[in-house]
Amino acid sequence: NYINTQNFDSDLFVQGRGNTSIANFFTQQAQGIPLDLLQLRNGESVAGLYNFLGETEGVAAQNAFLGFQSFIFDPVSDDPNNTNYVSNVGGGNFNQQYSYLTQGYSGKYTLNVGTQYGENFFFGVNLNSHAIDYDRSTFLFETNNNPGGNINEIGFENNLSTLGAGFSAQLGAIAKFDSFRLGFTYDTPTWYNISEETTQYIETRRTEENQNVLEIIDPNVINVFADYNLQTPGKITASGAYIFGKSGLLSIDYSFKDYSNIEFRPTNDVVFASVNNTINNQLTTASTIRIGGEYRINQLSLRGGYMYEESPYTNELTVGDTSGFSLGLGYNFGNYSFDLSYARAEQDRQQQLYSIGLTDAAQVNTVTSNVVFTLGLSL
């Protein structure tokens, strides 16, 4: 079997007025980096130095380089060993637009093996091969008319491309007792191998000698990172159902997952060690409850369900709880049948723009609706 487990196609647009500039992001990234590393030498290109910084100093140095070359900040002195910088953007209010575009999918190929013991016990195993194809593009555009600085516009673009392959397994059992059904499933962690690439681009507009100057820094360099491993948490699910003869059924599922078990590897990597520590502090366990029922009236089937999933975050603000419901009906004509269903889920979350500097967050309310029509034929 092949299952498309998630569709990443999404487009988020945020617009607002704040008192924190994206310049803070670049200025903070630059602190501690020698000025000599940010300056072009004779015959050196933007692409060459940007690529060198990525290979030797990391992403923060590349961000600092973009900010320095686009005049967002200046060093406090011209000493090549200078490591302190100040923003060229005046304090005040800033008009900001933020676009967050994602696309791609995750899916899995599954091999199923099942067996039955007696009349009442059923066992199954799934072996899953996972695939991820994910692209994300963000663009922040900022304008200001504040005194005390000469930068009036900043546009900053980041692009990420991720490919991944992984493996997991599922073990399950079902027991039948007259009108009752009991089930248990264990989903192992999924072990991924991830490959990532990034690109960046920045442009600024500043006032210099009463002239409006546009500065574009486009390294046109693809950063290819070393592959890494990611382990997602396992899940335990218990379920029960009661069948009312041929009239209908009621069912309930309860799932438990510990998101603090997410782990990036190798764990001795300084960056991954920091990320894993953040995960342990910010993520926690989460439970999911699903309740559903079906009632049959001759050939007509009526269905309904409710779902509630706890937030995996300890503060429940970054990502809130998810709740939703579903409705459906089906009709069996004998040789063919049709089913129509509607499902709706809602969740609140905070979309933080950047990890440092411009850490303002947008309040996002996500409502997901799905309508599914199924036609079945019996030969």
Side-chain angles (χ1 to χ4, degrees):
N1 299 312
Y2 173 77
I3 303 171
N4 191 35
T5 55
Q6 190 166 356
N7 182 352
F8 293 124
D9 293 354
S10 178
D11 189 359
L12 172 67
F13 179 77
V14 177
Q15 179 172 293
R17 186 174 176 86
N19 55 15
T20 304
S21 171
I22 184 62
N24 292 13
F25 168 82
F26 293 101
T27 306
Q28 289 187 29
Q29 294 272 271
Q31 304 302 331
I33 297 177
L35 175 61
D36 183 55
L37 286 178
L38 306 180
Q39 293 177 315
L40 293 171
R41 299 180 181 179
N42 291 334
E44 190 172 32
S45 66
V46 167
L49 181 50
Y50 178 85
N51 186 63
F52 170 80
L53 291 174
E55 293 178 345
T56 60
E57 305 297 325
V59 175
Q62 289 182 317
N63 291 331
F65 172 73
L66 294 177
F68 178 73
Q69 292 297 322
S70 58
F71 298 92
I72 290 177
F73 61 81
D74 279 333
V76 297
S77 77
D78 293 331
D79 185 344
N81 295 318
N82 170 81
T83 57
N84 295 316
Y85 303 89
V86 292
S87 173
N88 284 326
V89 177
N93 294 318
F94 304 91
N95 299 309
Q96 294 166 333
Q97 298 176 346
Y98 181 77
S99 298
Y100 185 96
L101 173 66
T102 61
Q103 60 183 12
Y105 69 93
S106 66
K108 65 180 179 181
Y109 296 89
T110 300
L111 174 66
N112 313 105
V113 179
T115 187
Q116 178 178 346
Y117 179 77
E119 296 295 326
N120 300 322
F121 299 96
F122 304 83
F123 303 91
V125 176
N126 293 339
L127 302 178
N128 308 308
S129 176
H130 297 259
I132 296 176
D133 188 346
Y134 174 82
D135 293 300
R136 183 186 71 204
S137 180
T138 64
F139 183 79
L140 182 130
F141 180 69
E142 174 183 293
T143 62
N144 78 86
N145 293 312
N146 302 330
N150 61 355
I151 299 291
N152 306 117
E153 292 182 7
I154 301 175
F156 182 39
E157 180 179 278
N158 283 274
N159 300 299
L160 167 69
S161 178
T162 301
L163 294 175
F167 173 81
S168 71
Q170 295 163 305
L171 308 174
I174 298 175
K176 292 183 178 180
F177 302 103
D178 295 326
S179 297
F180 289 95
R181 304 287 187 268
L182 298 177
F184 177 82
T185 305
Y186 171 65
D187 294 59
T188 70
T190 302
W191 296 276
Y192 286 106
N193 181 260
I194 306 291
S195 302
E196 289 186 339
E197 298 178 354
T198 63
T199 59
Q200 294 181 298
Y201 162 91
I202 192 169
E203 63 180 45
T204 60
R205 193 175 293 275
R206 69 185 189 275
T207 302
E208 189 173 294
E209 297 179 355
N210 296 324
Q211 298 293 319
N212 199 311
V213 180
L214 174 65
E215 197 75 40
I216 297 177
I217 305 299
D218 184 4
N220 197 26
V221 171
I222 299 176
N223 296 309
V224 180
F225 296 91
D227 291 359
Y228 63 89
N229 297 318
L230 170 64
Q231 175 186 301
T232 63
K235 182 175 68 172
I236 296 174
T237 303
S239 61
Y242 181 76
I243 300 175
F244 301 93
K246 295 183 178 181
S247 298
L249 63 86
L250 286 174
S251 66
I252 182 170
D253 288 356
Y254 171 79
S255 300
F256 178 85
K257 184 184 290 189
D258 188 349
Y259 286 88
S260 65
N261 288 333
I262 296 175
E263 185 176 75
F264 289 85
R265 299 173 179 171
T267 56
N268 59 359
D269 182 277
V270 175
V271 174
F272 289 156
S274 175
V275 171
N276 291 334
N277 184 62
T278 300
I279 289 173
N280 289 330
N281 292 332
Q282 295 187 3
L283 298 184
T284 185
T285 60
S287 298
T288 302
I289 297 177
R290 291 182 172 88
I291 301 173
E294 179 178 349
Y295 184 72
R296 294 179 181 175
I297 306 173
N298 297 323
Q299 286 81 27
L300 177 66
S301 296
L302 304 175
R303 307 182 183 97
Y306 173 78
M307 180 271 290
Y308 175 79
E309 182 176 352
E310 290 182 319
S311 169
Y313 282 82
T314 55
N315 61 16
E316 297 188 7
L317 295 175
T318 304
V319 174
D321 299 337
T322 302
S323 61
F325 68 89
S326 61
L327 299 171
L329 60 86
Y331 198 90
N332 190 336
F333 292 92
N335 291 333
Y336 65 94
S337 62
F338 77 85
D339 293 278
L340 180 66
S341 66
Y342 169 76
R344 182 185 188 277
E346 184 172 358
Q347 181 189 66
D348 293 324
R349 64 185 174 90
Q350 291 185 339
Q351 179 67 47
Q352 185 171 310
L353 303 189
Y354 296 92
S355 58
I356 66 172
L358 182 54
T359 58
D360 295 6
Q363 304 297 324
V364 180
N365 174 255
T366 301
V367 177
T368 303
S369 299
N370 286 305
V371 176
V372 178
F373 176 79
T374 304
L375 177 65
L377 301 176
S378 298
L379 302 179

